[in-house]
Amino acid sequence: MQTELSQTLGIEHAVFGFTPFPAVAAAISRAGGFGVLGAVRYTAPDELKRDLDWIEAHVGGRPYGLDVVMPAKKVEGVTEADVEAMIPEGHRQFVRDTLARHGVPELAQDEASGWRITGWMEQVARSQLDVAFDYPIRLLANALGSPPADVVARAHDRDVLVAALAGSARHAEKHRDAGIDVVVAQGYEAGGHTGEIASMVLTPEVVDAVAPLPVLAAGGIGSGQQVAAALALGAQGVWLGSLWLTTTEADLGSPALTRKLLAAGSGDTVRSRALTGKPARQLRTEWTDAWDDPAGPGTLPMPLQGLLVAEAVSRIQKYEIDALLGTPVGQIVGRMNRERSVQAVFDDLTRGFEEAVDRVNRVAGRSGPS
């Protein structure tokens, strides 16, 4: 699964794996792909440094990258306390009532309430980059549009490629004009924040819009046959995120959540604003149903919604309240029906890719090895 981009980065397979877990990122790179560590959960530079040290020790000298969440435009002087003060009391009561209805216990008084919006704030992302640029990362990806121009320049000064996610050809063109090196065309089927256009339509549109920039296809990809299809549409690789959630190296911290993912079908996700305030594909649960119910108060815009539900999500996860327990995941969850190692995933991807190429060769009247 070689392309010009994979050759530039020195990887065996044009498979880019986004993951919040250092062990998964390192395993992806060792298997011949390109592991990309998600940084949004690191609110302290020392925590990111610790995990990058771990990756360096376990990646076997293979290349890897980092994914940050950084807005292109900076908002000055806004603190987390300022944002929290904007949350209506009625929404807070709705959260309390929903948790009480499902018997969700409180956290201990000295227990942290889990992920908040801190990792989405620009100053935090910049502190992450101050750490990351001391390591030999080869790619910096941004999940919230093009990063600021000075960040792009800083990466290029270090020979680091910059990637950005796009949900439309128009967004992709903005990335190209901002000096981005790689565009990730993320289709409607993808887990997490995603747009309205399906991958089969989006990928060739983006490829044509930004040529000759390399494009990675994302959304609904979890087999070698789908990798072959993405390359046939003009992509120079694939960007996979959901597929790694049920690998043996992943650490979801919840056996119940792993069981739910393994049991879910491709129709068991929903694109909901319940988690962050922006449409994000995730497992459908009674939690997402409550927020999407017209009888409820409705979700708040980002970042208010994420701050509002942070403690509630922590409680649901800690106590594994099955009816409410979910996670961002794409429609490919229907294929994630057994736990496998990252290497086993790659073995299946490469085998399926070879079968797909052989099948196309036969259709085209060609024969012989792919």
Side-chain angles (χ1 to χ4, degrees):
M1 295 188 284
Q2 279 281 313
T3 65
E4 184 178 347
L5 179 60
S6 67
Q7 291 170 351
T8 296
L9 290 169
I11 58 177
E12 184 179 356
H13 305 299
V15 174
F16 294 72
F18 165 80
T19 175
F21 307 118
V24 176
I28 291 169
S29 291
R30 289 198 308 271
F34 191 95
V36 182
L37 179 67
V40 70
R41 68 191 181 95
Y42 295 99
T43 57
D46 288 348
E47 295 174 354
L48 179 59
K49 182 180 186 305
R50 176 201 64 207
D51 283 355
L52 289 176
D53 283 339
W54 191 95
I55 290 177
E56 274 290 299
H58 292 84
V59 81
R62 304 292 184 92
Y64 61 95
L66 190 74
D67 179 280
V68 298
V69 178
M70 174 176 281
K73 297 181 180 179
K74 185 174 183 177
V75 179
E76 298 282 359
V78 178
T79 67
E80 186 172 324
D82 295 330
V83 176
E84 183 145 11
M86 298 168 65
I87 298 174
E89 176 57 30
H91 282 73
R92 296 185 187 279
Q93 187 61 49
F94 180 77
V95 170
R96 289 192 289 267
D97 291 345
T98 304
L99 296 178
R101 190 162 59 249
H102 290 274
V104 184
E106 299 274 357
L107 295 176
Q109 283 189 343
D110 59 346
E111 193 168 1
S113 60
W115 179 85
R116 296 174 76 80
I117 65 164
T118 312
W120 295 75
M121 302 178 77
E122 181 181 348
Q123 62 266 34
V124 175
R126 287 185 177 276
S127 70
Q128 293 167 349
L129 295 180
D130 289 340
V131 172
F133 283 141
D134 286 335
Y135 292 82
I137 62 171
R138 294 295 311 280
L139 179 82
L140 173 66
N142 189 42
L144 203 63
S146 303
D150 68 295
V151 172
V152 176
R154 189 178 175 190
H156 288 166
D157 286 345
R158 290 162 173 78
D159 198 29
V160 175
L161 297 180
V162 181
L165 276 64
S168 70
R170 179 175 57 86
H171 292 155
E173 289 168 348
K174 289 183 177 180
H175 294 333
R176 176 201 60 201
D177 296 343
I180 300 304
D181 305 294
V182 180
V183 176
V184 181
Q186 181 170 310
Y188 174 80
E189 308 95 325
H193 296 126
T194 185
E196 301 277 358
I197 306 172
S199 298
M200 182 66 76
V201 175
L202 179 66
T203 301
E205 284 188 354
V206 172
V207 168
D208 291 344
V210 302
L213 284 185
V215 172
L216 301 177
I221 301 172
S223 71
Q225 291 86 344
Q226 291 168 311
V227 175
L231 299 190
L233 293 172
Q236 287 202 29
V238 294
W239 177 275
L240 310 182
S242 298
L243 192 62
W244 317 110
L245 290 174
T246 53
T247 56
T248 53
E249 292 89 346
D251 181 17
L252 291 179
S254 170
L257 181 55
T258 299
R259 289 194 298 272
K260 290 191 75 170
L261 287 170
L262 294 172
S266 56
D268 292 330
T269 69
V270 63
R271 193 164 162 270
S272 171
R273 297 177 184 269
L275 188 60
T276 67
K278 294 189 73 170
R281 187 169 297 285
Q282 54 203 282
L283 282 180
R284 181 176 181 177
T285 66
E286 292 188 28
W287 178 254
T288 61
D289 286 349
W291 283 106
D292 296 338
D293 188 341
T299 57
L300 297 170
M302 178 185 279
L304 300 182
Q305 182 72 15
L307 187 56
L308 169 66
V309 305
E311 180 177 342
V313 171
S314 294
R315 289 165 60 185
I316 291 166
Q317 291 175 343
K318 175 178 179 179
Y319 298 110
E320 297 190 310
I321 308 302
D322 193 80
L324 305 178
L325 187 62
T327 186
V329 69
Q331 291 180 331
I332 198 62
V333 71
R335 296 184 66 98
M336 295 158 48
N337 49 23
R338 59 191 175 94
E339 291 188 79
R340 297 174 290 170
S341 68
V342 167
Q343 182 61 61
V345 171
F346 268 87
D347 291 343
D348 288 343
L349 290 174
T350 53
R351 187 181 306 110
F353 179 83
E354 291 169 357
E355 291 172 355
V357 172
D358 287 344
R359 184 161 51 246
V360 171
N361 280 336
R362 289 194 299 273
V363 172
R366 303 183 182 94
S367 59
S370 57

